[in-house]
Amino acid sequence: MALFGTDGIRGLANGQTLTAEIAVDVAVAAAHILVESSSNKGKRPRAIVGQDSRASGEFLEAAVAAGLASAGIDVYRVGVLPTPAIAYLVGESGADLGVMISASHNPMPDNGIKLFSRGGGKLDDSIEAAIEKRMGEPWTRPTGRNVGRIIFDETASARYLNHLAASVTTPLKGLKIVVDCANGASSFVAPIAYEKAGATVVAIHRSPDGWNINENCGSTHLEDLQAAVVKEGADFGIAHDGDADRCLAIDGAGKVVDGDAIMTILAIGFKNRGGLTSNTIVGTVMSNLGFMHAMKNAGISVISTAVGDRYVLEKMIEGDFSLGGEQSGHLIMREFANTGDGILTALQLAQEVVRSGKSLAELASQMQRFPQVLINVSDVKKDKLDESAAIAKAVATAESTLGENGRVLLRASGTEALVRVMVEASSDNLAQDIATSLAAVVKAELGN
């Protein structure tokens, strides 16, 4: 597929793969595919459309809304809200589809289009392929009263906040939290959500201007949050990315608590309260080996999937599991949502701190992280990765050296011409040496 990657369409806004014209075409094709397969027959189709705070989101959102309305769909614009808010609102309202204009943690010049089907789930690869195939095809255009309307939904933000509040059963009174909103979609809801739950909140990078999303802030740049947590004497900090579908945490001493550590804390907490279905959590092939060991020690089984929250969710639904997620901070708790929600994750994490009476650092110490080195080898023929005997031999040698105290993972990027080389080992130096050696072999074998 030329357009759709692992998480919708993403690229340079107004560049070759993400123009206003493409946004209109995608919207029209999505309308045809998703509405045709909808059980909501006989009623005017509806769509929820939101965006993060990028300036380019303004023209892309307008293009998507125009495309949907021209295909006979009523469009409910909700403005700047997190991606999981769009997923929730689609399910809550019974809409036929949802569209989020966002490039998540990517830098400001990029943008993207994420689609949600009826119920609020992300689209299967087969549906995305069908949408792409329909783009540009002739179609019968509705006229008169059959064209769609475009309405701004002024209640959307409040409904999403109420949904978040309903997930809180243990008030956060007594906690002081610093939240880095990445000048993105969480800016207008995350601080309010934590305050409504009872916490004292200090918000930073909460002033989006269209250009500063993810700029030296948020989950990809934790330095400001680390400093703010220590300066404020806060219990911990929360970092969101541009569209707030993930979160990372900072403990009271300024140390990073990543997605694997957060999953460890929640999985053990859920298990202790009888809320972890089959005592199983779903992770990905990128989950740290220390996470695997922590789960084994806690009597919790781990099922691994390919990287991507859609694959985590598929496995969760298949086994009716309650908790899953990624090292990046995408966590899914099916009791509350069918997509990763950074604010929801942070609320659940904060409740575990209150319930346990322990600090975040103490809870995070349940997992001893193995040193992990990730090298992106760019400008390579990633499709040939599995065909190289030299690479296979190098990986086998590395695995033999590491034994049970490490692992190797080579993975082709879903959106870029690069191969990710990941090595975990008992020491930083060993992980770095092996990763550097493997990256050199990959470059030599697959370089353009």
Side-chain angles (χ1 to χ4, degrees), residues 373-443:
V373 172
L374 178 65
I375 298 177
N376 291 329
V377 186
S378 58
D379 298 321
V380 295
K381 302 180 182 71
K382 63 180 182 179
D383 296 338
K384 304 294 184 180
L385 176 61
D386 295 332
E387 300 176 12
S388 170
I391 292 175
K393 181 179 179 181
V395 169
T397 300
E399 290 177 335
S400 177
T401 300
L402 292 169
E404 294 183 356
N405 293 315
R407 68 186 183 111
V408 173
L409 176 68
L410 270 60
R411 183 171 67 90
S413 169
T415 57
E416 302 170 82
L418 59 83
V419 170
R420 307 188 196 280
V421 176
M422 189 275 285
V423 176
E424 291 172 348
S426 56
S427 72
D428 287 304
N429 288 340
L430 181 58
Q432 185 66 59
D433 289 347
I434 292 177
T436 300
S437 175
L438 287 174
V441 175
V442 170
K443 189 67 174 180

Side-chain angles (χ1 to χ4, degrees), residues 3 15 18 62 112 117 121 165 188 227 245 256 261 284 301 303 320 322 346 352 373 376 384 392 406 419 434:
L3 282 179
L18 195 59
S117 60
F188 307 110
D245 62 353
V256 177
T284 75
S301 300
I303 295 176
D320 195 27
S322 54
E352 290 298 335
V373 172
N376 291 329
K384 304 294 184 180
V419 170
I434 292 177

Side-chain angles (χ1 to χ4, degrees), residues 266-279 322 335 352:
L266 294 185
I268 293 173
F270 280 27
K271 179 176 184 280
N272 290 342
R273 294 192 304 280
L276 189 66
T277 306
S278 302
N279 283 339
S322 54
E335 178 183 354
E352 290 298 335

Side-chain angles (χ1 to χ4, degrees), residues 169-428:
T169 56
T170 301
L172 307 185
K173 186 176 181 180
L175 283 186
K176 185 176 184 180
I177 300 172
V178 181
V179 55
D180 185 340
C181 299
N183 290 316
S186 68
S187 298
F188 307 110
V189 287
I192 297 172
Y194 304 140
E195 287 172 350
K196 287 183 70 171
T200 298
V201 179
V202 177
I204 64 174
H205 299 300
R206 191 192 181 186
S207 303
D209 62 9
W211 316 113
N212 60 2
I213 185 171
N214 296 324
E215 185 177 36
N216 298 318
C217 59
S219 63
T220 55
H221 300 278
L222 297 169
E223 298 82 9
D224 283 1
L225 180 59
Q226 290 172 299
V229 168
V230 174
K231 178 183 177 182
E232 295 287 343
D235 292 284
F236 58 90
I238 295 295
H240 294 300
D241 60 337
D243 69 337
D245 62 353
R246 70 175 71 181
C247 83
L248 297 177
I250 302 296
D251 70 20
K255 185 178 179 181
V256 177
V257 179
D258 69 7
D260 284 335
I262 294 172
M263 286 197 292
T264 297
I265 294 168
L266 294 185
I268 293 173
F270 280 27
K271 179 176 184 280
N272 290 342
R273 294 192 304 280
L276 189 66
T277 306
S278 302
N279 283 339
T280 297
I281 185 170
V282 179
T284 75
V285 293
M286 287 297 290
S287 296
N288 191 269
L289 190 58
F291 167 73
M292 301 297 187
H293 288 184
M295 293 296 92
K296 182 178 180 180
N297 293 338
I300 297 171
S301 300
V302 179
I303 295 176
S304 293
T305 74
V307 173
D309 59 343
R310 71 161 68 182
Y311 304 116
V312 172
L313 178 59
E314 285 174 4
K315 186 62 67 174
M316 291 175 70
I317 293 174
E318 178 184 315
D320 195 27
F321 301 122
S322 54
L323 180 64
E326 301 183 272
Q327 187 184 73
S328 61
H330 279 111
L331 270 73
I332 301 173
M333 291 158 280
R334 289 186 61 220
E335 178 183 354
F336 308 111
N338 277 332
T339 189
D341 188 328
I343 302 175
L344 183 61
T345 297
L347 288 170
Q348 299 307 307
L349 179 64
Q351 289 180 91
E352 290 298 335
V353 172
V354 174
R355 289 175 184 133
S356 68
K358 298 178 180 179
S359 68
L360 179 59
E362 289 177 288
L363 291 176
S365 69
Q366 297 173 108
M367 172 190 147
Q368 299 303 313
R369 187 179 186 276
F370 275 58
Q372 185 182 80
V373 172
L374 178 65
I375 298 177
N376 291 329
V377 186
S378 58
D379 298 321
V380 295
K381 302 180 182 71
K382 63 180 182 179
D383 296 338
K384 304 294 184 180
L385 176 61
D386 295 332
E387 300 176 12
S388 170
I391 292 175
K393 181 179 179 181
V395 169
T397 300
E399 290 177 335
S400 177
T401 300
L402 292 169
E404 294 183 356
N405 293 315
R407 68 186 183 111
V408 173
L409 176 68
L410 270 60
R411 183 171 67 90
S413 169
T415 57
E416 302 170 82
L418 59 83
V419 170
R420 307 188 196 280
V421 176
M422 189 275 285
V423 176
E424 291 172 348
S426 56
S427 72
D428 287 304

